[in-house]
Amino acid sequence: MHSFGYRANALFTFAVTILGFMCALASFTDSFNSPSPSVQVLKVNWFQKQPNGNDEVSMTLNISADLQSLFTWNTKQVFVFLAAEYVTPKHVLNQISLWDAIIQEKENAKFTITTSNKYRFIDQGSNLRGKEFNLTLHWHVMPKTGKMLADKVVLPGYRLPAEYR
Amino acid sequence: MGWVSDTVDSIKSIKVREVLHQLIVLGMIVTTALIIWKGLMCITGTESPVVVVLSGSMEPGFQRGDILFLTMSKDPIRSGDIVVFNIDGRDIPIVHRVIKVHEREDTEDKYYLTKGDNNPMDDRVLYNHGQNWLEKKHIMGRAVGFVPYAGWATIIMSEKPIIKYVLVGALGLLVLTTKE
């Protein structure tokens, strides 16, 4: 009952259990401020109706944000992405991710980037002419261990051109 | 060599009642583990509350061997959520991020497109032939937290099943030969 084997086993089990608890609780030490990003649509590159009837638009965006306040000792990476949200008669909610990036260092969390949309902005239908849409910047904080947190800022008031070009 | 004859002696001196007792204790341990697992399934609302990350498609966020905790709440699935889904006909769940959502209000149809953070293309190549979107029924849960490296034991045991047999055999031998 008191052999080395038993003691080693009991110690090991206890240590692993405590480690598991600590990993799970690690993210309770994090706290965040709200960054305020800004996004501009620099230009609409082209806007067409595909052969299968769906509208597609390509645009160049200028995105700048400062997410440095999200980084703590427990942050492994911040996944940031920009989604366009709009309403159509057929689909009451549409969310299309246009661009995303993975930030692993705090220095890189303050950035300004000019890019065309990384993922194709395709509607399921032909509803995009003159369409008003919101651009929402989302960020997901992935910790080294523990609970993941996500938040976003909605930037309303963008509008697509009324005609194809 | 003395160890071998000791073990043989202890196996010869086993009483039936002791063996039965130890088998029952073993059964209780296994049943308790099962109860905890099923209980977790009820609390989180998903059939697989804990999954091991098997591929590198979500690096650097999730590495192979990490354990993910999932829940399935009534909250709607939105872009950016990390979801676990099954493709019809395949039984390995995939953990990727939702990048596109189209929802209809009248018919409750909801369509999702997913992509692994580390993959260059979205998941259409993984879906079945002719399938362009995932639907709610394919989604098993949403990832809410994780513990790194804890899943390596599962990966090793499923990729080299001989280790599983060796472990179970050694455990069985231990049960039979401990004098408790």
Side-chain angles (χ1 to χ4, degrees), chain B residues 5-18:
Chain B
S5 61
D6 277 343
T7 316
V8 171
D9 279 339
S10 67
I11 290 181
K12 279 192 208 152
S13 70
I14 278 175
K15 302 186 188 76
V16 174
R17 195 163 168 183
E18 273 181 21

Side-chain angles (χ1 to χ4, degrees), chain A:
Chain A
M1 198 56 216
H2 299 290
S3 72
F4 176 72
Y6 278 114
R7 285 176 174 160
N9 179 44
L11 195 64
F12 181 67
T13 315
F14 189 59
V16 168
T17 313
I18 298 280
L19 187 67
F21 266 114
M22 279 172 53
C23 282
L25 295 178
S27 42
F28 279 89
T29 66
D30 301 332
S31 66
F32 307 104
N33 303 325
S34 293
S36 45
S38 84
V39 180
Q40 289 165 277
V41 179
L42 285 182
K43 81 184 187 71
V44 173
N45 301 335
W46 48 264
F47 187 2
Q48 285 171 6
K49 186 176 185 152
Q50 302 297 333
N52 58 12
N54 293 337
D55 281 352
E56 179 173 352
V57 60
S58 159
M59 53 178 94
T60 305
L61 303 156
N62 183 343
I63 309 168
S64 84
D66 179 0
L67 300 171
Q68 288 188 322
S69 58
L70 296 174
F71 276 81
T72 72
W73 65 274
N74 192 25
T75 308
K76 185 197 287 190
Q77 72 175 38
V78 172
F79 184 87
V80 59
F81 68 100
L82 187 73
E85 265 185 42
Y86 59 95
V87 180
T88 66
K90 184 170 172 204
H91 290 113
V92 72
L93 172 74
N94 298 276
Q95 293 180 324
I96 316 261
S97 175
L98 297 178
W99 168 87
D100 59 33
I102 292 178
I103 307 175
Q104 294 184 276
E105 303 290 332
K106 188 168 175 165
E107 303 83 56
N108 300 340
K110 187 174 160 97
F111 62 92
T112 302
I113 179 172
T114 302
T115 170
S116 59
N117 47 309
K118 191 170 170 184
Y119 303 116
R120 301 171 67 180
F121 190 158
I122 303 181
D123 185 31
Q124 294 301 299
S126 179
N127 305 298
L128 289 185
R129 273 163 293 174
K131 177 60 70 182
E132 252 193 57
F133 62 100
N134 292 343
L135 282 176
T136 309
L137 191 72
H138 297 246
W139 54 89
H140 280 233
V141 180
M142 290 159 93
K144 293 201 173 85
T145 171
K147 192 164 145 60
M148 300 189 290
L149 279 115
D151 205 355
K152 62 184 182 190
V153 166
V154 180
L155 304 160
Y158 299 88
R159 184 185 284 277
L160 288 171
E163 293 303 325
Y164 294 130
R165 60 168 95 150

